[in-house]
Amino acid sequence: MNNSKTKTVQVSILTRIYGNVNADEVIGTRVTLKKMYSTTGEVLPFVSARAIKYSIRQALKERGYEVDPFVEDPKATEALRLRDSGRPDKYIDNDLFGYMVTMGRREQAVRRQAPISFSYLKALKDTSIVTEFAARFPRSLETGSNPVPFEVEVADFLGKLNCLIYDYIGDFSGDKRQPGAPADLPERLPDGERKRRLRDFLEILLTPAYVLPRRTNSLNLPEYYASLVTLSHGPLPIYQYLDYDFEEEMVDPDKLEGIKNLRPFADGTCRAFLIDYKGVVKDSRGIKVSSLNEVIDEILNFYFKSEKET
């Protein structure tokens, strides 16, 4: 694969998260949060990439798409009993997020490298984690059972989510070359269907129009501050240039300035856009600030423009 010709869309999002989102394990009576520890001892709660994909998969399902119900083989060993369907033409999550169909021990699995990948949604700085107390009450007072107390860890943090999109959504030519791939799998979907899938995904991700998974009953939607979107040929180290200045309460303009030092920006082969959701982009340093719909249209035009037109 020639990366110089691979169209790449990169998205970096600053978003606020609060509550008990994507809870970790239950220790005793405490529902814990997922968190990392930096080398300087900072506590950095995060939402996993798996949880983000699960949330978007549910949102796609609400839009009428079929998602993979998974296949269960009761005769297989326990580790191989449940597997992906491996039908990206039918199930949109197999197309966007990849799949792996296990064929048995010592046999090569059929798989698809996801054209869309996510990072953790991780806090930007050290974050305090506090504990809420709650209780589960018996369904019927007649049983005479007492309420069961438990604790829930919660946090309120500003984090960053990064996304990378390659140009083979709806293109299964690589899948078909694998031994064991379905014989009736098409080489690619019609361009209209490919465009519809990408547009719906972008609308869900960039609006945002998805609900994060939770352990408790509280509702958790991300609260976006700003997004940086770049269109290039091959991935670039752009994510480090979107940051938040907590003292000035705005997107850090000095960090944005640095993106111009990348050669593809200097020679005009890469374009960048900002979406300002909360009025926090005070100085974009020349990067175009656009509406959500304008950015989605720019991405689709770039993604589906033929090489002769570029």
Side-chain angles (χ1 to χ4, degrees), residues 90 120 212 232:
K90 183 175 182 181
Y120 295 110
L212 291 166
S232 61

Side-chain angles (χ1 to χ4, degrees), residues 18-21 31 33 128-132 152-156 216:
Y18 44 90
N20 183 278
V21 183
V31 182
L33 271 178
S128 299
I129 294 177
V130 298
T131 303
E132 286 185 350
V152 181
E153 288 186 350
V154 295
D156 185 348
T216 58

Side-chain angles (χ1 to χ4, degrees), residues 179-192:
D184 60 344
L185 185 67
E187 284 279 339
R188 59 193 296 159
L189 296 176
D191 281 351

Side-chain angles (χ1 to χ4, degrees), residues 6 76 88 125 130 136 148 154 168 215 223 231-232 243 269:
T6 302
K125 65 173 188 175
V130 298
R136 296 186 181 91
V148 178
V154 295
Y168 55 94
R215 173 82 67 172
E223 184 179 319
L231 312 176
S232 61
D243 204 351
T269 58

Side-chain angles (χ1 to χ4, degrees), residues 96-112:
L96 303 186
F97 303 140
Y99 60 81
M100 186 173 74
V101 180
T102 53
M103 309 299 286
R105 293 193 181 278
R106 300 184 182 84
E107 294 187 38
Q108 186 174 358
V110 179
R111 65 186 71 198
R112 173 175 174 81

Side-chain angles (χ1 to χ4, degrees), residues 69-194:
F70 302 108
V71 175
E72 184 175 8
D73 182 0
K75 297 180 180 178
T77 59
E78 186 173 354
L80 303 176
R81 190 164 295 169
L82 194 65
R83 59 178 172 81
D84 294 328
S85 299
R87 294 302 310 221
D89 53 335
K90 183 175 182 181
Y91 303 119
I92 188 171
D93 51 337
N94 278 188
D95 181 12
L96 303 186
F97 303 140
Y99 60 81
M100 186 173 74
V101 180
T102 53
M103 309 299 286
R105 293 193 181 278
R106 300 184 182 84
E107 294 187 38
Q108 186 174 358
V110 179
R111 65 186 71 198
R112 173 175 174 81
Q113 181 69 38
I116 297 176
S117 57
F118 287 101
S119 70
Y120 295 110
L121 198 175
K122 190 178 69 173
L124 295 176
K125 65 173 188 175
D126 187 40
T127 303
S128 299
I129 294 177
V130 298
T131 303
E132 286 185 350
F133 289 93
R136 296 186 181 91
F137 291 88
R139 294 182 182 277
S140 172
L141 293 176
E142 296 176 357
T143 61
S145 301
N146 294 318
V148 178
F150 65 97
E151 301 170 324
V152 181
E153 288 186 350
V154 295
D156 185 348
F157 64 91
L158 188 63
K160 184 159 68 172
L161 172 67
N162 299 323
C163 176
L164 176 62
I165 306 172
Y166 285 111
D167 62 358
Y168 55 94
I169 291 174
D171 184 339
F172 314 128
S173 52
D175 302 51
K176 280 187 69 71
R177 289 196 291 270
Q178 299 178 82
D184 60 344
L185 185 67
E187 284 279 339
R188 59 193 296 159
L189 296 176
D191 281 351
E193 176 61 15
R194 296 180 67 206

Side-chain angles (χ1 to χ4, degrees), residues 189-207:
L189 296 176
D191 281 351
E193 176 61 15
R194 296 180 67 206
K195 184 177 288 190
R196 187 173 78 95
R197 287 186 173 191
L198 179 57
R199 177 182 287 279
D200 282 341
F201 167 77
L202 291 170
E203 286 180 355
I204 291 168
L205 174 67
L206 292 175
T207 298

